[in-house]
Amino acid sequence: MIIVPYVTGYLSEHYADDDFRTLSAYKAKGGFEGLKKALAMEPEEVVEIMKSAGLRGRGGAGFNAGMKWSFMPKDTDRPKVLVCNGDESEPGSFKDRLIMERGPLQILEGILIAAWAVGASKAFIYIRGEYKEPIRCLEAAVKELYGARLCGENVMGKKGFNIDIVVHSGAGAYICGEETGLLESLEGKKGQPRKKPPFPAQFGAFGLPTTVNNIETFAHAPYILDRGVDWFRGFGTEKSPGTTLYGVSGHVERPGLFELPLGTPLREVIGHAGGVRGGRRLKGVIPGGMSMPILTPNDIDVPMADEFLSERGTHLGTGGVMVMDETTCMVRVACVVSYFFRDESCGQCTQCREGTGWINKICERIEQGRGTQQDMKLLEDVPAMMEGQTICAFADAAAWPIQGLMRHFRDDFEAHIREHKCPYPESFEL
Ligand SMILES: Cc1cc2nc3c(=O)[nH]c(=O)nc-3n(C[C@H](O)[C@H](O)[C@H](O)COP(=O)(O)O)c2cc1C
Ligand code: SF4
């Protein structure tokens, strides 16, 4: 199935056009101008441009991409590696899939620019295993690049600029999207996150200096290099420049992807999806994929950029906007969320392995009308004990949505305990 965004910007402008995936059409639409400009500069200049563009990583944490590129060690003759993270397993997130299917050459051009900037000679694109079509699209695009001598040795005729690109099918676990879990999986091991330090820039894929970026992050780079920092900063906010592909799902009339500037008010983003289905009232919105705390209708005008969302106790994450209408039972939401995290914990850390299971059991008990006030206390204590205590941020991602639901929808939990049943007969089925 082809998904084409309802609103387009520079990234998705040509996504309706099948040919955009071929090298000739991509070049005809301005493709590889960014790389050409990058290769005319010293690598350090490219890094500086990326830093001042302020492109924030689109994989969830929002770290400045140019800054990350600058961490790659310069005083080493060991091979350097780039990893492009296409694992995209966060429930509510589906933007990277679209970019891989409709704009694979944007990603590859971004990878080539980054390779020149950081001196990498090998790049791995790690793609969620279930994403068969994205894998096919990227493999076809990489093949075309080799044929056109746009990767391999002396790329674009630049002597000594050698880069090999490998497409790797992922291992089918959410935790393989966490960058060090991904690196382990790439090496053929169990996808269990590593303790940090050392960070990937020092000890990454196969022990080599490595930079990991998200699919969408790489896809923005060619436009920055080609059109310039001021142009890029013309979109979005000062702290979060550029556009992003908001993926709107749930109780809306027209779920889909919408490319809009960062900082677009939440009301407008949901408006592009046709608003809440059937004219019902809005009850809650998860703004950035399932691991982000929920917002309430009071937050409907918040600009969708991390600096504004963090003031409201949540984050932009991956821009996956999940809309819930007034029929929604928030305890059922807590059951779904906690079931996912219980299932996906890699099990290395006690707080995460045990905490996610406890939370799920407590939520299910409350939903079934068997909860007590002691369960409410546990639902406050257990997530607090998981946060910031573990090898990776998965435990935080498991704790935050529950904390958000308890903060804003405590009444829903209390009503289940008081009435010994779920008071939302019209809510979705578990
Ligand atoms: C549990 C967990 C899952 C993650 N899954 C993904 C993912 O599927 N894709 C992704 O790009 N980043 C994911 N991340 C973030 C990566 O660890 C990493 O920060 C990101 O790939 C860096 O790219 P960026 O700086 O371009 O955003 C995940 C993080 C955690 C803690
Ligand atoms: S926090 Fe959870 S997912 Fe991350 S390493 Fe520990 S057990 Fe594994």
Side-chain angles (χ1 to χ4, degrees):
M1 185 181 66
I2 297 170
I3 320 171
V4 175
Y6 294 111
V7 183
T8 56
Y10 56 88
L11 218 50
S12 59
E13 189 182 353
H14 303 295
Y15 282 4
D17 174 5
D18 271 345
D19 280 354
F20 191 59
R21 297 184 282 187
T22 64
L23 191 54
S24 53
Y26 181 68
K27 275 184 163 173
K29 301 264 184 331
F32 288 98
E33 289 303 313
L35 178 63
K36 211 184 280 173
K37 287 182 184 162
L39 293 182
M41 297 176 206
E42 291 302 316
E44 296 75 22
E45 284 177 71
V46 178
V47 172
E48 283 312 311
I49 286 176
M50 288 297 288
K51 266 196 203 167
S52 46
L55 171 67
R56 298 178 74 160
R58 303 290 201 254
F63 195 77
N64 181 304
M67 190 76 84
K68 191 184 275 188
W69 295 7
S70 76
F71 295 157
M72 203 70 138
K74 287 156 203 73
D75 49 358
T76 176
D77 48 16
R78 300 168 72 212
K80 296 178 203 162
V81 178
L82 280 177
V83 172
C84 177
N85 191 342
D87 194 55
E88 195 167 64
S89 304
E90 174 92 0
S93 237
F94 45 102
K95 66 183 179 70
D96 293 343
R97 173 184 158 197
L98 181 85
I99 302 170
M100 287 187 266
E101 287 183 2
R102 310 306 298 176
L105 287 158
Q106 297 171 315
I107 303 163
L108 293 174
E109 189 183 351
I111 289 173
L112 292 170
I113 290 168
W116 172 247
V118 306
S121 55
K122 190 98 184 175
F124 294 95
I125 309 175
Y126 185 102
I127 305 176
R128 179 181 173 146
E130 296 91 336
Y131 274 8
K132 301 296 179 210
E133 180 62 8
I135 291 171
R136 197 194 62 73
C137 292
L138 269 157
E139 280 176 346
V142 168
K143 200 168 161 201
E144 264 212 289
L145 284 199
Y146 273 105
R149 297 182 165 270
L150 279 164
C151 79
E153 286 184 5
N154 304 323
V155 173
M156 264 194 172
K158 187 86 182 176
K159 215 165 163 25
F161 177 33
N162 307 327
I163 168 92
D164 279 312
I165 303 181
V166 175
V167 177
H168 184 96
S169 171
Y174 173 63
I175 199 58
C176 291
E178 193 279 340
E179 58 186 13
T180 59
L182 185 158
L183 296 175
E184 289 286 294
S185 171
L186 186 66
E187 294 177 10
K189 302 179 208 147
K190 254 196 237 174
Q192 291 188 319
R194 298 174 180 168
K195 287 196 187 104
K196 287 150 272 196
F199 291 96
Q202 275 74 48
F203 189 91
F206 307 97
L208 298 169
T210 300
T211 299
V212 184
N213 276 122
N214 168 259
I215 288 278
E216 185 190 335
T217 312
F218 281 118
H220 285 278
Y223 297 91
I224 295 170
L225 266 296
D226 183 28
R227 301 179 188 182
V229 169
D230 291 342
W231 170 85
F232 181 70
R233 283 192 164 279
F235 301 90
T237 68
E238 203 197 323
K239 289 188 177 157
S240 303
T243 63
T244 197
L245 284 153
Y246 296 98
V248 187
S249 62
H251 298 159
V252 286
E253 292 288 353
R254 206 171 49 156
L257 283 152
F258 307 91
E259 186 179 353
L260 296 161
L262 285 167
T264 302
L266 177 58
R267 185 193 294 277
E268 192 185 325
V269 175
I270 297 176
H272 285 293
V276 181
R277 64 170 184 186
R280 291 202 172 111
R281 275 190 304 138
L282 178 69
K283 182 161 177 178
V285 185
I286 296 176
M290 203 167 81
S291 55
M292 295 302 144
I294 196 162
L295 294 166
T296 71
N298 292 336
D299 302 307
I300 192 70
D301 291 311
V302 64
M304 288 286 284
D306 204 59
E307 65 270 28
F308 299 100
L309 288 162
S310 56
E311 284 171 3
R312 300 188 185 224
T314 189
H315 295 283
L316 182 68
T318 53
V321 178
M322 301 159 90
V323 177
M324 291 165 236
D325 72 16
E326 57 191 320
T327 64
T328 310
C329 168
M330 290 300 176
V331 181
R332 288 190 197 182
V333 173
C335 288
V336 172
V337 170
S338 56
Y339 179 86
F340 174 79
F341 285 106
R342 189 204 72 185
D343 231 37
E344 295 289 340
S345 167
C346 87
Q348 288 189 96
C349 317
T350 310
Q351 296 92 330
C352 176
R353 184 184 61 243
E354 302 301 323
T356 51
W358 278 26
I359 293 175
N360 182 239
K361 261 193 208 155
I362 298 164
C363 291
E364 289 189 351
R365 194 153 63 216
I366 296 176
E367 167 56 21
Q368 290 157 8
R370 297 185 292 113
T372 62
Q373 283 305 325
Q374 201 187 347
D375 286 328
M376 294 296 283
K377 177 86 175 66
L378 279 172
L379 269 191
E380 278 165 359
D381 291 349
V382 177
M385 284 188 278
M386 290 162 61
E387 233 189 317
Q389 304 290 321
T390 51
I391 294 174
C392 86
F394 177 102
D396 301 46
W400 287 349
I402 301 300
Q403 289 171 327
L405 287 163
M406 286 286 282
R407 187 160 60 237
H408 296 304
F409 297 99
R410 199 182 173 91
D411 286 354
D412 272 19
F413 290 80
E414 295 284 1
H416 283 71
I417 293 173
R418 205 172 45 246
E419 298 174 28
H420 300 293
K421 64 175 172 62
C422 175
Y424 290 97
E426 284 183 68
S427 188
F428 65 92
E429 296 278 329
L430 273 181

